[in-house]
Amino acid sequence: MPEKRLILEMGTGNDLFGGDYTKAACRAVQDALHHSVLSLFRSLGYDTRDMRVQVTIGVQQPDKVDAEIVRAELPRGKPEVRVVFGGLDVHDPEQDTTHVIATAAIEAFLPIESGVWHLRESS
């Protein structure tokens, strides 16, 4: 059964003094989640456990993000986490610290049975 993306939320998180990319990524996920209400699922009779959740994290050093810790931030669905180059590092030479800024995009997909309901094409 083909999937349709039903939700897209974005968030930003940071770690200002620890330089922790995973912490910044988790905060970005939490920011995105706090902008979202999943009433669509209840209204249409879908179970949130059936949705595939694709999380894309952008940071300057992707190899420093523990994707499994980020994945644990997702309370519903079947989460997948991908970490890519993005975000922003802001270096403070006076304090010799790097402020890490992460971005997150969270997409929710559901298998939609043909003919049950129709998503209108965007104009």
Side-chain angles (χ1 to χ4, degrees), residues 66-87:
D66 186 330
E68 286 305 308
I69 291 174
V70 175
R71 185 174 184 246
E73 294 290 315
L74 284 271
R76 291 174 178 65
K78 302 169 195 159
E80 305 166 1
V81 176
R82 182 172 60 121
V83 185
V84 299
F85 181 79

Side-chain angles (χ1 to χ4, degrees), residues 32-49:
L33 290 175
H34 286 99
H35 295 145
S36 183
V37 175
L38 300 180
S39 60
L40 169 78
F41 291 89
R42 184 176 297 145
S43 297
L44 297 175
Y46 284 97
D47 189 332
T48 57
R49 292 175 290 194

Side-chain angles (χ1 to χ4, degrees), residues 1-6 41 44-53 78 108-117 119:
M1 189 176 325
E3 288 185 323
K4 297 284 188 181
R5 181 177 72 182
L6 300 178
F41 291 89
L44 297 175
Y46 284 97
D47 189 332
T48 57
R49 292 175 290 194
D50 295 332
M51 74 177 157
R52 180 174 62 87
V53 181
K78 302 169 195 159
F109 297 84
L110 266 180
I112 303 296
E113 187 176 328
S114 183
V116 173
W117 55 282
L119 296 176

